Amino acid sequence: SSDIDRQKVLTRQAIAESNRLQRLFDALLRIARIESGRHAPGMRLVELAPLVEDAVETYLPAAEDRGITLRLEVLTPATIEADPDLVYQALANLIDNALKYVPPRGTVRVRLEAVNEGILMSVSDDGPGVGAEDRARLTERFYRAEAVRDLPGEGLGLSLVAAIAARHDAELQLVANAP
């Protein structure tokens, strides 16, 4: 019986690892397609407020489970030419990262506003922050800051966000939020 139990455990572990590797492969393939221009974007006029609201609503249960306040601040309605699926994916990755690294009882803010001649979508948190040396490398594939190496993740989320931003002629800025 113990051999059968051990085989079941090993089988579950193998399936979990296989699923993890498939997600990793899918993410790498998606980044490569976006960067090379082979991803056929569904560009159209997109109202950003509902898209941002949907992303925040998706992550509210996870935030509540961790005791994190997830705030949405839509200061300006904004419409852009974009692939809504890719923009949503980028925003979801940023929110997911913020929720992953902010401590319980922390706050994550998602903000949409018009600035100068453009639009600013931001995700900020009051977590411990990342040092300047790590921040400069966060969009490199597989790069993980020393402080978070023990947490789940592959180091591809911000690479994907950077590729999506570049595909939309947008700029991804990673800045300190004191801390």
Side-chain angles (χ1 to χ4, degrees), residues 3 18 22 25 61 76 81 86 96 110 116-117 119 122-123 139-140 150 169 172:
D3 282 345
S18 174
Q22 183 64 51
F25 178 77
T76 316
E81 182 83 14
L86 289 181
D96 187 66
V110 179
N116 301 324
E117 296 299 316
I119 295 166
S122 66
V123 177
T139 59
E140 293 176 18
D150 294 337
D169 296 322
L172 172 64

Side-chain angles (χ1 to χ4, degrees), residues 11-175:
T11 301
R12 277 196 297 273
Q13 289 173 342
I15 290 170
E17 181 63 8
S18 174
N19 289 338
R20 185 187 73 81
L21 290 172
Q22 183 64 51
R23 286 190 306 273
L24 181 72
F25 178 77
D26 290 345
L28 284 169
L29 190 58
R30 183 171 235 203
I31 292 168
R33 284 184 178 145
I34 292 168
E35 287 178 343
S36 69
R38 287 181 304 166
H39 173 84
M43 300 296 257
R44 59 184 166 92
L45 278 179
V46 176
E47 179 64 41
L48 289 176
L51 187 140
V52 173
E53 289 165 3
D54 286 349
V56 169
E57 191 173 305
T58 299
Y59 282 93
L60 270 174
E64 289 171 359
D65 286 349
R66 292 205 50 228
I68 295 170
T69 301
L70 180 55
R71 289 208 171 107
L72 172 61
E73 301 170 0
V74 176
L75 303 180
T76 316
T79 302
I80 63 169
E81 182 83 14
D83 179 322
D85 295 334
L86 289 181
V87 173
Y88 182 91
Q89 178 70 62
L91 190 56
N93 283 16
L94 292 171
I95 294 170
D96 187 66
N97 266 8
L99 291 176
K100 193 183 301 182
Y101 301 122
V102 73
R105 291 182 300 286
T107 300
V108 173
R109 286 182 179 79
V110 179
R111 186 177 178 125
L112 174 64
E113 64 183 308
V115 291
N116 301 324
E117 296 299 316
I119 295 166
L120 175 66
M121 279 195 314
S122 66
V123 177
S124 61
D125 64 67
D126 55 6
V130 177
E133 63 284 347
D134 284 323
R135 198 167 43 250
R137 299 189 59 199
L138 287 178
T139 59
E140 293 176 18
R141 289 180 200 164
F142 301 111
Y143 182 79
R144 306 236 351 182
E146 187 66 39
V148 299
R149 292 234 166 100
D150 294 337
L151 293 174
E154 306 299 336
L156 290 174
L158 291 177
S159 299
L160 181 58
V161 173
I164 292 169
R167 188 76 173 106
H168 287 83
D169 296 322
E171 181 183 357
L172 172 64
Q173 294 180 348
L174 304 171
V175 296

